[in-house]
Amino acid sequence: SVTLVGTKTTDLVATKQTFVDSRYHYGRVRCTFDSVETNDDDSIGSTYHLARLPSNAVILPSSTLYWDNIGASGATADVGVYAVDSNLANADDPNGLLDGVSVATASSNSLLEDFASGQTALWDYVASEESDPGGLLDVKVILQDAVTDAVGSISLEIFYTVD
């Protein structure tokens, strides 16, 4: 048998206790929820802006993207992170959170590709970004690969901590 300790809890149980950033341990959970109604003919590249969060927000694995049956066969959606007031050193990352989720049938998907990435600040999902730019960042859904062929909802529920 083994006894293992989580990566953040290790500091709390050490002989000389180290305090853990409250975003990871004992942090206050906040949430945002928004929905948008698609048209029956939204084109590839259509963008749905559903959240604006602090750049240092840590998104929790329980965050979820929901959608109705809105896409033609092969339609997918990406969820990305975007600058506000040009605060990113590098380009926006259109699929930083989710890449290629099928929206051809109604369903839902965790906002995070890997639940272990729930220890990552929002800014760090932007490819090549090396430090927290500060301020706010936008979270947007982008339609890919095929047009919508039905009116329906896309909803984004994000649980996150900042303190």
Side-chain angles (χ1 to χ4, degrees):
S1 89
V2 299
T3 301
L4 302 174
V5 181
T7 56
K8 302 298 181 196
T9 305
T10 296
D11 290 339
L12 295 172
V13 298
T15 301
K16 182 175 180 185
Q17 183 179 8
T18 304
F19 289 99
V20 176
D21 186 321
S22 63
R23 292 177 299 162
Y24 306 113
H25 202 75
Y26 297 117
R28 287 184 277 182
V29 176
R30 298 165 191 247
C31 67
T32 182
F33 181 87
D34 204 355
S35 294
V36 65
E37 287 292 311
T38 65
N39 301 295
D40 62 2
D41 61 351
D42 291 352
S43 61
I44 294 171
S46 293
T47 302
Y48 311 104
H49 186 176
L50 291 170
R52 180 169 278 184
L53 301 173
S55 62
N56 69 336
V58 173
I59 296 176
L60 301 177
S62 53
S63 300
T64 306
L65 177 68
Y66 304 91
W67 61 92
D68 292 332
N69 176 7
I70 57 170
S73 178
T76 63
D78 294 346
V79 182
V81 182
Y82 296 81
V84 174
D85 298 327
S86 303
N87 60 338
L88 290 172
N90 297 293
D92 299 331
D93 196 337
N95 59 4
L97 292 166
L98 275 178
D99 186 13
V101 176
S102 173
V103 293
T105 58
S107 193
S108 64
N109 199 91
S110 173
L111 185 58
L112 303 179
E113 299 270 4
D114 176 7
F115 69 88
S117 63
Q119 298 181 37
T120 304
L122 182 59
W123 68 266
D124 209 9
Y125 286 98
V126 179
S128 303
E129 200 71 17
E130 295 182 11
S131 62
D132 186 350
L136 300 170
L137 294 171
D138 288 333
V139 178
K140 300 177 185 180
V141 176
I142 296 182
L143 183 66
Q144 301 289 358
D145 303 317
V147 300
T148 59
D149 62 1
V151 172
S153 297
I154 298 174
S155 299
L156 183 60
E157 178 180 47
I158 302 177
F159 294 99
Y160 65 98
T161 61
V162 289
D163 55 6

